[in-house]
Amino acid sequence: MPDPQHHLACLLQGHWFAALPQTLRDDLLAMAQVQHLDAGQRLFRRGDRPGGLYAVVEGAVRIGAVSESGKEALLTLVEPPYWFGEISLFDGLPRTHDAFAESTSTLLLLPQGELLALLERQPQHWRDFALLMSHKLRLAFLILEDMSLLPAAPRLARRLLLMAENYGEGEPRRLLHLAQEQLALMLSLSRQTTNQILKELEAQGIVRLTYGEIEILDLQRLRQAAW
């Protein structure tokens, strides 16, 4: 099994991890455990006890919730070098959502107990983890505002832009491994409306649609479509 150091280059592409003090980065990698998930495999469910902080270093993870009737609410689909699970680190309460591997994936786990012990010894680093959570909170407020105020077309463009910019956490990417059904779930739009908007973006040369993927051809024009 690869050592967590094997994934250092991936993690350093993320703004949060790259900005950490060198000694803290070393401590986190020393405690990290490599986990492999098959496509569709559950990582945790809403209500599970917190197990620690995760980083996606290969593949993708789907985060959302499923009702008793089987209806799915998809919040986000995250790819490297995305970190998640920090809410339960702060409050120690159960997981707020479900997490499943969207594809064959590799994650790094910082175990809850070891991470809390490190923060007990070095409480100055709580601020570093608070910055991770505050970044997510800002994004959540922006998405809620978009859901309330924007028509469907610019709302969809903004979500594609956020994903293309890796939610502000890594380098921009052109190819989104995202099915249209998943995008519709994220935006609470019908599959038909989502397809119509994407087809319009494709006709304008802004995106290219293939099975299970959306390729961003013109990032600048996508930004314009998001307003």
Side-chain angles (χ1 to χ4, degrees):
M1 178 178 293
D3 184 88
Q5 288 282 350
H6 174 75
H7 301 290
L8 178 58
C10 170
L11 294 176
L12 286 173
Q13 293 176 20
H15 301 313
W16 177 75
F17 188 82
L20 295 177
Q22 180 65 54
T23 54
L24 179 57
R25 294 204 303 256
D26 293 342
D27 287 341
L28 298 183
L29 281 176
M31 74 173 67
Q33 301 174 4
V34 180
Q35 293 193 354
H36 299 287
L37 297 177
D38 295 327
Q41 185 175 347
R42 175 175 65 89
L43 180 62
F44 55 73
R45 290 189 190 278
R46 170 184 285 178
D48 283 355
R49 295 181 61 182
L53 188 66
Y54 288 96
V56 184
V57 290
E58 294 175 2
V61 173
R62 184 173 74 250
I63 298 176
V66 180
S67 69
E68 292 183 0
S69 63
K71 184 177 180 181
E72 182 179 9
L74 180 60
L75 296 183
T76 190
L77 187 68
V78 296
E79 297 183 88
Y82 194 88
W83 290 85
F84 63 98
E86 69 283 348
I87 292 177
S88 292
L89 173 66
F90 276 85
D91 61 19
L93 297 177
R95 295 295 188 188
T96 57
H97 295 92
D98 306 322
F100 291 85
E102 178 66 18
S103 57
T104 302
S105 301
T106 302
L107 295 87
L108 298 185
L109 167 65
L110 307 182
Q112 186 94 341
E114 293 183 47
L115 192 49
L116 289 173
L118 181 142
L119 291 168
E120 180 71 22
R121 297 191 304 270
Q122 303 178 47
Q124 72 273 19
H125 291 315
W126 272 112
R127 182 179 184 275
D128 296 298
F129 293 92
L131 289 174
L132 177 64
M133 189 163 67
S134 65
H135 173 69
K136 304 276 192 68
L137 187 58
R138 284 180 180 274
L139 286 177
F141 280 137
L142 289 174
I143 290 170
L144 283 173
E145 181 180 319
D146 290 349
M147 294 284 281
S148 299
L149 300 179
L150 287 183
R155 180 151 48 99
L156 183 147
R158 282 203 188 184
R159 182 57 68 94
L160 289 182
L161 185 61
L162 273 176
M163 297 186 72
E165 295 177 339
N166 218 353
Y167 294 100
E169 181 49 31
E171 294 300 316
R173 60 180 188 269
R174 296 287 180 170
L175 190 62
L176 307 180
H177 303 286
L178 178 71
Q180 293 186 32
E181 293 85 353
Q182 293 172 322
L183 183 59
L185 284 171
M186 286 183 191
L187 298 168
S188 297
L189 296 174
S190 71
R191 171 69 172 77
Q192 292 76 14
T193 298
T194 300
N195 177 259
Q196 179 182 351
I197 297 170
L198 287 172
K199 288 292 187 182
E200 290 172 357
L201 292 174
E202 186 174 44
Q204 296 172 48
I206 297 175
V207 304
R208 178 185 292 122
L209 305 176
T210 56
Y211 181 75
E213 295 178 341
I214 301 172
E215 183 181 1
I216 310 300
L217 300 178
D218 192 327
L219 196 61
Q220 183 57 39
R221 290 179 65 201
L222 181 62
R223 286 195 181 96
Q224 294 171 0
W227 295 94

